[in-house]
Amino acid sequence: FEAAAWIMQQCEDYAEWCLLDARREICTMRLKSLVKDPRTLPQDFAAAFVDSVDLLAPGMHVAVAMFDTDTDVRLVCNKTHDGTKDEDEAVTAEDTRGHIALIFDAKKKREAVDQKTESEDVVATATPILDAKTFVPAVLYVAAAPTAKPPHEDVFDFVHQMAILAQ
């Protein structure tokens, strides 16, 4: 029975991975079309990005931050773990919320900044979007719920790919 249970678990894991992979493809195509359209506003991309991450891993905290200055950021779209959505929230570097600190850290370092558990599982990432001069106009942020198990690494790979796509 143990061997049969192990095989069934492997099949279930593979089926979940296939579903996640198919959803990633659909989300990537949708976001690519938004990036190529010059009429697309940041709000359109941000909303589509939040919806895409919600499709891939429901219940995550997702935010798209656009920098007005080095110390002022506008959360174009911010969806918390409980599903509450806010748009166009002005935030400064002095904000003490954890996701804001990670967003500013990613801007400062000009590279993705991950938050990990003691067992080295990634539970949050802030990934900068770089322009041609390596300026950071925006950051994509995604985090698992504190009580949830860390999402599959493909979710965070998707975030990194979308940051590259949006350049």
Side-chain angles (χ1 to χ4, degrees):
F1 284 116
E2 286 181 26
W6 184 83
I7 290 170
M8 293 287 287
Q9 183 62 49
Q10 295 301 311
C11 292
E12 182 181 344
D13 291 347
Y14 180 72
E16 285 179 15
W17 179 82
C18 287
L19 179 61
L20 178 63
D21 194 47
R23 286 179 175 171
R24 275 182 50 164
E25 280 295 316
I26 291 167
C27 293
T28 300
M29 289 187 316
R30 179 177 177 206
L31 289 167
K32 272 185 183 179
S33 68
L34 286 173
V35 169
K36 289 181 182 178
D37 186 351
R39 297 168 297 173
T40 302
L41 300 172
Q43 287 87 356
D44 297 334
F45 180 84
F49 176 74
V50 169
D51 291 344
S52 295
V53 173
D54 205 35
L55 178 66
L56 297 174
M60 295 190 73
H61 184 172
V62 185
V64 178
M66 297 199 61
F67 288 89
D68 296 326
T69 67
D70 284 341
T71 59
D72 296 320
V73 68
R74 182 171 49 96
L75 295 177
V76 178
C77 196
N78 184 34
K79 185 192 82 63
T80 60
H81 302 295
D82 64 4
T84 305
K85 258 189 195 180
D86 294 317
E87 294 182 355
D88 290 327
E89 178 187 355
V91 180
T92 65
E94 287 82 33
D95 193 305
T96 59
R97 293 178 287 178
H99 68 291
I100 301 301
L102 211 60
I103 288 169
F104 276 98
D105 200 22
K107 178 185 179 13
K108 179 181 163 190
K109 293 180 178 177
R110 291 184 169 82
E111 63 182 33
V113 178
D114 296 333
Q115 182 181 356
K116 298 180 179 183
T117 63
E118 289 179 8
S119 60
E120 294 297 311
D121 291 324
V122 176
V123 292
T125 189
T127 306
I129 297 172
L130 301 172
D131 67 7
K133 297 179 182 177
T134 68
F135 176 73
V136 180
V139 171
L140 304 177
Y141 172 83
V142 176
T147 57
K149 74 174 192 171
H152 193 277
E153 64 189 38
D154 285 355
V155 173
F156 295 115
D157 288 343
F158 173 78
V159 175
H160 299 305
Q161 289 173 355
M162 292 308 101
I164 292 168
L165 177 71
Q167 291 180 351

